[in-house]
Amino acid sequence: WLKFLARGFCPLFRCPVAAMSASAEDLIQQAEDFKQQGNDAFKEGNYKRALGNYHKVFCYVNGLQVPGEKSEVSGYADMMGGKSNQVPAEKVEDIKRLKQSTHLNMAACYLKTDAFQKCVDSCTKALSVGELPKALFRRGQAQLELRNLDEAKADLERARELDPTDPAIGQQLKRLEQAYAQHKAKEKKTFAKMFDQMRKEPDAGADDCQAAMAATAATAATAATA
């Protein structure tokens, strides 16, 4: 701890020590600046640098105390002999939107770099602030790539309900239909192969038949997430 503090870094909240003593207004402004830098890097196609800047957003907003909430931030400030940065009431919604949009932008980076599970996690964090069609859409895309078809279907259909005019959602739903069709074709082929094997081996006992049926059912149940 002392080594990190000597370097000006708080290991508990993974943020500069200076961020623990700056005013709430300064922290919010710094966080917004890092988000803009992340947006610029994303437009340039530098997703690694964009993610680095988006992470820095949380280095600053994690040091803020939302009115009515007791968190590790205030406890750490008390331990250090200071006081936590209380977010002005008129800025509470701004902080929530900043966190949500930053999680959403991180999800876009993860989609671009094929880090699909991280995309799902970032979208889930964004959705914890409030329902957003874009977050549902991106999470649905990631779930589709992970072959979590039922989860993708739930997200994409809800996104379409909230934003029925977005053509990109319709395109992903068509991809989802194709994925379901491929899954059913694979399932059908698996069953056909099993019954063909049974036909060629008429002396197989009932126990062998039941075991084969059970194994095929288990394979079909997990095929969508393979």
Side-chain angles (χ1 to χ4, degrees):
W1 269 67
L2 292 176
K3 180 175 68 174
F4 283 110
L5 291 173
R7 295 176 181 175
F9 185 81
C10 170
L12 181 59
F13 300 108
R14 300 181 181 181
C15 67
V17 172
M20 303 299 295
S21 59
S23 68
E25 290 78 5
D26 288 343
L27 291 176
I28 294 171
Q29 184 58 57
Q30 185 63 69
E32 290 176 342
D33 289 345
F34 277 123
K35 182 191 171 187
Q36 184 57 54
Q37 291 176 35
N39 292 348
D40 293 341
F42 183 89
K43 292 175 182 177
E44 295 170 0
N46 193 333
Y47 306 119
K48 183 177 180 180
R49 184 156 63 87
L51 281 168
N53 282 296
Y54 292 142
H55 278 294
K56 289 178 183 177
V57 171
F58 294 100
C59 285
Y60 286 84
V61 297
N62 284 350
L64 297 173
Q65 181 67 32
V66 177
E69 292 184 3
K70 182 70 175 179
S71 69
E72 289 182 292
V73 176
S74 57
Y76 179 75
D78 292 340
M79 181 180 70
M80 297 297 290
K83 59 180 181 179
S84 58
N85 285 294
Q86 188 85 355
V87 178
E90 67 274 11
K91 290 287 187 178
V92 171
E93 290 303 316
D94 291 338
I95 290 296
K96 290 181 179 179
R97 284 193 294 270
L98 176 61
K99 289 182 177 181
Q100 185 181 48
S101 60
T102 302
H103 281 307
L104 193 57
N105 291 353
M106 292 175 75
C109 290
Y110 290 134
L111 269 180
K112 291 288 189 179
T113 55
D114 296 341
F116 301 120
Q117 186 56 56
K118 288 184 177 181
C119 177
V120 169
D121 296 340
S122 290
C123 289
T124 299
K125 290 176 182 178
L127 289 165
S128 69
V129 179
E131 201 170 39
L132 202 64
K134 193 174 290 186
L136 289 163
F137 172 63
R138 288 179 183 166
R139 190 170 70 175
Q141 282 184 280
Q143 295 284 24
L144 179 53
E145 295 297 338
L146 292 168
R147 288 301 181 263
N148 298 328
L149 303 187
D150 291 341
E151 290 83 350
K153 182 174 184 289
D155 281 340
L156 291 172
E157 288 186 345
R158 181 55 181 160
R160 183 171 59 180
E161 289 177 10
L162 296 173
D163 189 2
T165 63
D166 188 345
I169 298 174
Q171 292 172 1
Q172 291 300 311
L173 283 168
K174 288 181 180 179
R175 287 190 61 220
L176 178 62
E177 289 178 5
Q178 294 173 352
Y180 268 119
Q182 291 171 358
H183 168 59
K184 289 179 180 178
K186 183 178 180 180
E187 186 180 66
K188 184 178 180 180
K189 185 177 181 180
T190 300
F191 274 105
K193 183 177 180 180
M194 181 196 70
F195 284 118
D196 184 59
Q197 184 177 357
M198 290 171 58
R199 181 179 59 79
K200 292 178 180 179
E201 300 176 6
D203 295 333
D207 290 341
D208 292 339
C209 177
Q210 291 178 357
M213 290 282 285
T216 303
T219 300
T222 58
T225 57

